[in-house]
Amino acid sequence: MFCEKAIELIRELHRAPDGQLPAFNVRLRDILPRAGAGLSRGGNRASYPPPDVLKIQRETYISSVMTKDDGIRQVLEEMKALYEQNQSDVNETKSDGRSDLIPTIKFRHSSLLRNRRCIVAYLYDRLLRIRALRWEYGSVLPNALRFHMSSEEIEWFNRYKKSLATYMRCLGGDEGLDITQDMKPPKSLYIEVRCLKDYGEFEVDDGTSVLLKKNSQHFLPRWKCEQLIRQGVLEHVLS
């Protein structure tokens, strides 16, 4: 009560390192289908866990969601309760002249305003992190990050990347200019990279293709590699 859950939302973001996005606090009914899908995933029927184990896993997952991922709803419910209590006391003050209730009304109103500020700060900070993810990972986010976003945040990310793409097409003549590359001033135009996973063919500037296979090393243009380095496909080999 009185802003404790709202402050915990802010602390949750503060504990998350830069470049990471904590799971959005969502309603339990939005999580249940994912829980069922995640717990029943397997190759064949023999790989499924026994029913009793599956039940324990499901109950554990739901319990963690209820205690961890429902913060926004709890803050809004607190705000609703504070507002209704204030409305009742305001009416009583007007009808019965209960001036002794005014300090309590002011205290609840201050709590309402603080809850609102915390929620706005929580949502705005998440949008800043999501905007930074576009510059770090490109227009396609890893599934692990998308799973931590609400549907509204995914929609905002899609609109932002379209706006950014439209802006970049207006730069640098007919071909446009990718301003998300070379975030740090490069020391050389070419770098040595090692492939961390099988990726397939990769076309370079002169039209030739390079086969990116796990553990293979290549000497490639920096600007062509930066996106794959951020995505974990390549790593920069430092001599």
Side-chain angles (χ1 to χ4, degrees), residues 106-176:
K106 289 183 176 180
F107 177 76
R108 292 199 195 102
H109 185 68
S110 297
S111 298
L112 276 168
L113 294 178
R114 186 168 188 179
N115 273 333
R116 185 182 67 177
R117 288 197 302 269
C118 287
I119 288 183
V120 171
Y122 175 80
L123 296 175
Y124 181 67
D125 187 271
R126 288 183 61 86
L127 287 185
L128 294 181
R129 291 171 183 260
I130 292 171
R131 183 180 66 179
L133 292 177
R134 165 61 185 89
W135 291 73
E136 181 176 356
Y137 290 95
S139 59
V140 180
L141 294 179
N143 290 332
L145 288 174
R146 293 179 66 88
F147 182 75
H148 285 175
M149 297 163 61
S150 68
S151 58
E152 290 80 7
E153 288 176 333
I154 293 176
E155 182 181 354
W156 185 89
F157 175 81
N158 290 333
R159 292 202 305 266
Y160 175 74
K161 73 178 184 182
K162 289 179 181 177
S163 298
L164 182 60
T166 301
Y167 174 71
M168 292 192 296
R169 283 196 297 267
C170 299
L171 303 175
D174 296 335
E175 297 181 358

Side-chain angles (χ1 to χ4, degrees), residues 15 22 25 36-38 49 92 114 120 127 132-133 137 157 178 182 194 200 210 216 229:
R15 289 191 295 264
N25 284 272
E92 190 172 350
R114 186 168 188 179
V120 171
L127 287 185
L133 292 177
Y137 290 95
F157 175 81
D178 188 353
D182 293 329
R194 179 183 296 110
V210 177
S216 63
I229 291 175

Side-chain angles (χ1 to χ4, degrees), residues 22-85:
F24 186 80
N25 284 272
V26 293
R27 293 177 183 270
L28 179 61
R29 60 181 174 82
D30 296 329
I31 286 291
L32 285 176
R34 300 178 187 175
L39 294 176
S40 63
R41 189 178 296 118
N44 49 47
R45 190 169 184 82
S47 66
Y48 292 165
D52 54 339
V53 175
L54 183 61
K55 181 180 178 181
I56 293 174
Q57 290 177 333
R58 188 185 299 272
E59 290 176 351
T60 302
Y61 186 93
I62 293 174
S63 176
S64 67
V65 167
M66 292 181 67
T67 57
K68 177 183 177 183
D69 293 331
D70 215 13
I72 293 267
R73 183 186 61 81
Q74 293 179 26
V75 175
L76 293 177
E77 287 180 351
E78 177 186 323
M79 294 176 68
K80 180 181 178 182
L82 290 171
Y83 178 78
E84 291 175 349
Q85 292 169 7

Side-chain angles (χ1 to χ4, degrees), residues 183-238:
M183 300 299 294
K184 296 181 180 180
K187 295 182 179 180
S188 61
L189 297 180
Y190 284 77
I191 58 173
E192 187 176 1
V193 293
R194 179 183 296 110
C195 194
L196 301 178
K197 61 181 72 173
D198 292 334
Y199 181 80
E201 290 190 353
F202 180 69
E203 185 175 344
V204 293
D205 293 342
D206 59 3
T208 59
S209 297
V210 177
L211 183 61
L212 298 181
K213 296 181 63 176
K214 186 176 181 179
N215 296 326
S216 63
Q217 293 191 198
H218 308 274
F219 198 63
L220 299 173
R222 175 186 292 271
W223 75 274
K224 293 284 287 186
C225 301
E226 281 196 343
Q227 204 71 258
L228 294 180
I229 291 175
R230 295 172 189 162
Q231 295 172 6
V233 177
L234 300 175
E235 69 171 349
H236 186 188
V237 178
L238 301 175

